Amino acid sequence: MKMEKRRKSLHRFVIFFSILFSGVRGLRNVSIDIPLAVAAGTTVNMSCRYDLESDNLYTVKWYKGPEFFRYIPKEMPPIRVFGELGNKVLQNRSGAHHVVLKNLQPNHTGKYRCEVSGDSPSFNTIMVSAYMYVANLPKSDPQVRVEKIRYAIGDTVRGNCTVPSGNPPANVTWTVNGVPVNSSFMMNVTDKIIDNQQLMTIAGLDFEIIPDSFNNGRLHIICHANVFHLYKKQADVELIEERPRLASVLGTRESSYIGGATKRFDGWYMFNAAAITLLLRNFR
């Protein structure tokens, strides 16, 4: 009995190492390729790539939570779909390596998983996943508002940039003469459009003008708004440097030059009139 057990153990040992070193390999290098983000209403091609090596394919399954797509080459037809997301599958363009979904909406945002299984005897199974966002993009460009157009050194520029509603909300950054500037505040305002909750983005700007702020008397402010790589817009405004001028006691800045010229003319006239009078007296 002991000899028989030893023989069986040795046989298993030999089989194990024969498989290990015989070069028999199976399913490996499974990867998923889906976009990070897409616009609502678009059609998306998702890929699941793998190397079966010596295995045969048993099944490919796709999940977003529950399973929504299955491909089994031994069955006829080989494709089956499930649930609401299964109704989005373009079956004539889907198969062993691809699943194509149409008219995706923001509620289809989430984690997608691809599960690949080799056939018997191994039935090796590997699952991979990736996250995809489906975005409702803003319908128009951002807008910038500031308190005034002319600013002097020491003034504070206050303004805001408003980006129309979207889901997810837009990310906003500022540049002043090409230099990044932090937002003074950032808030998202809920805007209900039909049955969808969307968010309007408002970003504030608040900074003090210093001597180096202006470039040739100009200050170029740009609001940059983006939603992933799908929406990249900007709005800008150009401010003008208001340089100090000598004020006139006779009026406003606009009249100071004219008033000063008149005063100088009157002084010249009065001086010359007195000189003429004096010359006439001496002449007599």
Side-chain angles (χ1 to χ4, degrees):
M1 290 290 292
K2 289 182 178 180
M3 184 63 70
E4 185 65 26
K5 287 182 179 179
R6 286 178 182 174
R7 286 177 180 174
K8 288 183 179 179
S9 297
L10 181 60
H11 181 67
R12 294 193 190 102
F13 183 81
V14 171
I15 291 174
F16 172 77
F17 276 94
S18 296
I19 294 172
L20 184 64
F21 294 106
S22 64
V24 175
R25 294 183 291 178
L27 176 66
R28 68 190 187 103
N29 294 337
V30 181
S31 63
I32 189 171
D33 183 15
I34 65 177
L36 171 63
V38 297
T42 57
T43 297
V44 179
N45 187 343
M46 301 180 172
S47 299
C48 188
R49 303 193 179 278
Y50 44 86
D51 186 354
L52 288 166
E53 293 191 329
S54 60
D55 275 359
N56 293 316
L57 178 65
Y58 174 61
T59 183
V60 176
K61 298 179 180 179
W62 284 83
Y63 302 82
K64 182 185 175 290
E67 181 184 2
F68 69 88
F69 177 87
R70 182 184 301 172
Y71 178 83
I72 304 178
K74 290 184 177 180
E75 293 187 356
M76 293 302 295
I79 291 176
R80 293 181 62 187
V81 295
F82 312 93
E84 185 270 336
L85 195 54
N87 293 329
K88 300 285 186 180
V89 175
L90 294 176
Q91 297 190 35
N92 62 335
R93 295 172 57 185
S94 303
H97 290 280
H98 302 273
V99 60
V100 180
L101 302 176
K102 63 179 180 179
N103 192 29
L104 291 182
Q105 299 301 319
N107 62 296
H108 297 124
T109 293
K111 180 187 288 186
Y112 288 79
R113 296 177 292 150
C114 172
E115 180 188 87
V116 183
S117 297
D119 208 342
S120 62
S122 67
F123 289 106
N124 291 330
T125 300
I126 299 176
M127 179 180 288
V128 290
S129 65
Y131 202 92
M132 183 178 72
Y133 295 86
V134 182
N136 264 335
L137 302 179
K139 302 299 183 185
S140 57
D141 295 349
Q143 290 186 339
V144 170
R145 294 181 177 85
V146 292
E147 292 178 330
K148 55 184 181 178
I149 295 298
R150 293 181 178 274
Y151 288 83
I153 304 300
D155 287 351
T156 298
V157 178
R158 294 184 178 89
N160 64 62
C161 179
T162 303
V163 186
S165 300
N167 184 12
N171 179 52
V172 175
T173 57
W174 295 93
T175 57
V176 176
N177 284 344
V179 179
V181 175
N182 292 331
S183 295
S184 58
F185 69 85
M186 185 86 70
M187 65 180 182
N188 295 316
V189 180
T190 301
D191 187 8
K192 188 171 183 180
I193 300 178
I194 310 176
D195 294 327
N196 296 321
Q197 294 284 348
Q198 300 197 50
L199 296 171
M200 177 174 61
T201 302
I202 303 175
L205 185 66
D206 189 326
F207 73 96
E208 183 178 344
I209 301 289
I210 61 176
D212 294 336
S213 295
F214 290 99
N215 185 4
N216 294 324
R218 304 284 174 170
L219 192 69
H220 192 200
I221 297 175
I222 304 178
C223 161
H224 306 263
N226 68 81
V227 180
F228 298 106
H229 61 284
L230 306 170
Y231 175 93
K232 290 187 176 182
K233 303 287 186 179
Q234 65 182 43
D236 66 339
V237 62
E238 192 170 78
L239 307 183
I240 302 171
E241 182 178 9
E242 186 174 46
R243 293 186 173 90
R245 300 176 185 174
L246 294 176
S248 169
V249 295
L250 298 182
T252 63
R253 288 179 178 177
E254 286 74 16
S255 63
S256 62
Y257 177 76
I258 299 173
T262 304
K263 184 177 181 181
R264 287 194 297 271
F265 177 80
D266 291 343
W268 177 87
Y269 176 79
M270 292 172 64
F271 169 80
N272 284 281
I276 292 170
T277 303
L278 182 60
L279 287 172
L280 289 174
R281 287 178 180 173
N282 291 334
F283 181 77
R284 288 175 186 174

